Amino acid sequence: MVLNISLPDRHTFYAGRAQKSSSSSSSSSSTTFQSIDPSTAKPVCTIHTSSQSSIDSAISSAKSAFPSWSSTPPIERARILHKAVQILRSRNDELAKIETLDTGKPFSETSTVDIVTGADVLEYFANLVASGGLNGESFRLRDSAWVYTSKEPLGVCAGIGAWNYPIQIALWKSAPCLAAGNAMVYKPSEVTPLHAQFLAEVYKEAGLPDGVFNVVYGAGDVGSYLTKHPDIAKVSFTGQVSTGRKVAGSAAGEMKYVTMELGGKSPVVVLPDADVDQAVDGAMMANFFSTGQVCTNGTRVFVPDTLKAQFERVLLQKIKEVRAGDLMDMDTNFGPLVSDAHYKKVTQYIRHGTTVDRARLLCGGFDQRPTNLPSQLKNGYWVSPTVFTDCSDDMRIVKEEIFGPVMCILPYSSLEEAVARANDTELGLAAGVFGKDINQCHRVVKQLQAGITWVNTWGESPAEMAVGGWKQSGVGVENGRRGLEAWVRNKSTLVEMGGTVPTVFAKL
């Protein structure tokens, strides 16, 4: 069943409602772009790019709302956010259909992951601030003096989302931001923008004051204008490394706070004693979930020489369970790539791996599409899961982030070699180990240079777990207790109670 949802045009959302994205009274004067259903390549909604004047208005709305919201007691802010959690969960399937329409991810995934995990994060931070998570510390410095600290909100913050987990990432950013007492201007990716107004309306219905959460639309120029705006105190960005460097550089030049969650080329290390069936399951989750469009994907799979043949044999059997098709069928577990541009990028990498890198193609390929697709899906951005084996570290498909369903199997002869090769990258977002000896798993995972690591599993990022990259994969963390710290600034106060003011300017 192809989703047939009709959505009205989307405009900038500020001061509690959608408003024209252009300064002109005529909507036709604003630049527009289309939201495309990746499964069919058909447009589903027109988005009006936010003009600089409308971005200014959104920021002004947030700036006006900040004093009242930041002075609202944390427990009262938490009650509003909890109400938003209830609304999100009550509308899970409705919102999941929007995510499926916008991203091309199967409903079996969006209905069980995207809104669910986003709501979990919102609930977590609401609970955290309600239970003293914003409390500072107090200590006696000496008999006549003591010191106390407080965690103060930053002000108006910019959230710049990514296209692969639209509403989840929007909640990962807005939840701690709002819980800490900040206001936000949020820019979704221009590739998957549909969720943004729905989330803004959920917050409004929950009782969030007008102006505390606002939405602007557009591509990199909108993000750049937002980042450089003098009234923005912090920028939180999720996206590719090259763009993140530009955003971070621009924000740092203005002395703004930043959180950057960027890309990866993460290693999966299969230990010699691993259960091959389980290791293959983990490697498939690390490569084909969300059609490989996950920043933490473990696309470099290091397999011992002694297990390589068995690993490949089991993988070819299990890959038959990757099921593309009707995205609303709960048996479908694999969707198209997100856009035509991304489809061309991924298939170009696969072609390069075949014709230039000369890796051995185990299955898939740049000209392979899933079989038995319904006729109405034939024009979508579909590609088959692809596996290269006998790969070497110098291959382009091994070194560069592809962000698609492309697995590279790299044989190794010793664990020391595997660890060294796994770490030989400028990126350090995620890494994982599969093996039966849990002590050895811990020893190996300790040596892997990544901010997010897993043992005998892959991909789970609960709200309680802080996640963030090392090296070129990011700055700061999201989620967990440390995730709240990224949205506040410290104030320290020293109180002298001795009855006199210390001075060196006394009479002799």
Side-chain angles (χ1 to χ4, degrees), residues 188-484:
S189 165
E190 68 275 20
V191 180
T192 54
L194 295 184
H195 66 287
Q197 184 169 322
F198 286 100
L199 180 57
E201 290 168 347
V202 166
Y203 276 137
K204 180 177 176 64
E205 184 176 340
L208 193 71
D210 292 348
V212 175
F213 183 79
N214 312 273
V215 178
V216 297
Y217 294 105
D221 57 334
V222 172
S224 178
Y225 184 79
L226 193 59
T227 298
K228 294 177 181 177
H229 198 284
D231 288 332
I232 294 294
K234 171 181 175 165
V235 179
S236 177
F237 173 85
T238 299
Q240 63 184 17
V241 175
S242 59
T243 307
R245 285 175 178 152
K246 295 176 184 176
V247 173
S250 175
E254 302 295 330
M255 300 303 291
K256 301 179 190 295
Y257 293 82
V258 294
T259 302
M260 297 281 136
E261 199 271 285
L262 308 178
K265 193 67 182 175
S266 303
V268 176
V269 180
V270 179
L271 302 186
D273 72 339
D275 180 298
V276 173
D277 267 36
Q278 293 182 5
V280 168
D281 285 340
M284 288 181 64
M285 283 295 291
N287 281 271
F288 304 137
F289 189 72
S290 278
T291 318
Q293 299 169 123
V294 185
C295 53
T296 55
N297 263 7
T299 55
R300 296 183 295 143
V301 182
F302 291 89
V303 179
D305 293 325
T306 54
L307 293 182
K308 178 173 169 289
Q310 183 184 0
F311 185 93
E312 291 174 359
R313 185 170 60 252
V314 174
L315 176 60
L316 286 175
Q317 285 297 317
K318 287 180 177 285
I319 212 163
K320 297 174 184 176
E321 302 307 321
V322 176
R323 296 179 295 275
D326 178 359
L327 296 182
M328 290 304 296
D329 185 339
M330 291 299 284
D331 289 335
T332 298
N333 57 20
F334 188 82
L337 294 168
V338 75
S339 68
D340 181 54
H342 194 56
Y343 172 83
K344 290 173 180 174
K345 173 189 171 184
V346 171
T347 52
Q348 183 181 37
Y349 269 111
I350 298 173
R351 182 182 287 106
H352 190 279
T354 304
T355 61
V356 181
D357 288 334
R358 299 286 184 182
R360 181 162 67 89
L361 185 64
L362 200 63
C363 64
F366 64 86
D367 56 351
Q368 295 296 310
R369 293 163 64 87
T371 58
N372 302 320
L373 283 175
S375 59
Q376 62 267 37
L377 303 181
K378 293 294 185 181
N379 293 325
Y381 311 126
W382 298 86
V383 65
S384 291
T386 297
V387 179
F388 288 105
T389 190
D390 298 326
C391 296
S392 58
D393 298 338
D394 59 347
M395 292 178 176
R396 185 182 177 197
I397 55 171
V398 174
K399 294 169 65 176
E400 298 180 13
E401 185 177 36
I402 299 173
F403 221 69
V406 183
M407 180 191 300
C408 292
I409 298 175
L410 298 107
Y412 72 87
S413 57
S414 72
L415 267 180
E416 292 76 18
E417 170 205 338
V419 169
R421 291 168 62 194
N423 288 335
D424 188 19
T425 171
E426 66 175 5
L427 303 174
L429 186 58
V433 175
F434 289 86
K436 293 178 183 176
D437 184 340
I438 196 67
N439 289 325
Q440 186 179 52
C441 287
H442 283 302
R443 285 193 294 270
V444 172
V445 85
K446 179 178 173 60
Q447 298 175 65
L448 296 177
Q449 297 169 359
I452 311 165
T453 56
W454 293 284
V455 173
N456 290 327
T457 187
W458 193 277
E460 185 178 5
S461 295
E464 299 87 351
M465 177 180 173
V467 293
W470 287 12
K471 298 192 273 190
Q472 294 296 307
S473 288
V475 176
V477 302
E478 294 183 311
N479 297 347
R481 287 183 174 272
R482 284 196 59 211
L484 186 62

Side-chain angles (χ1 to χ4, degrees), residues 141-148 493-502:
L141 185 64
R142 53 182 177 266
D143 285 347
S144 65
W146 61 289
V147 172
Y148 67 90
T493 303
L494 191 154
V495 182
E496 174 59 56
M497 302 179 296
T500 61
V501 178

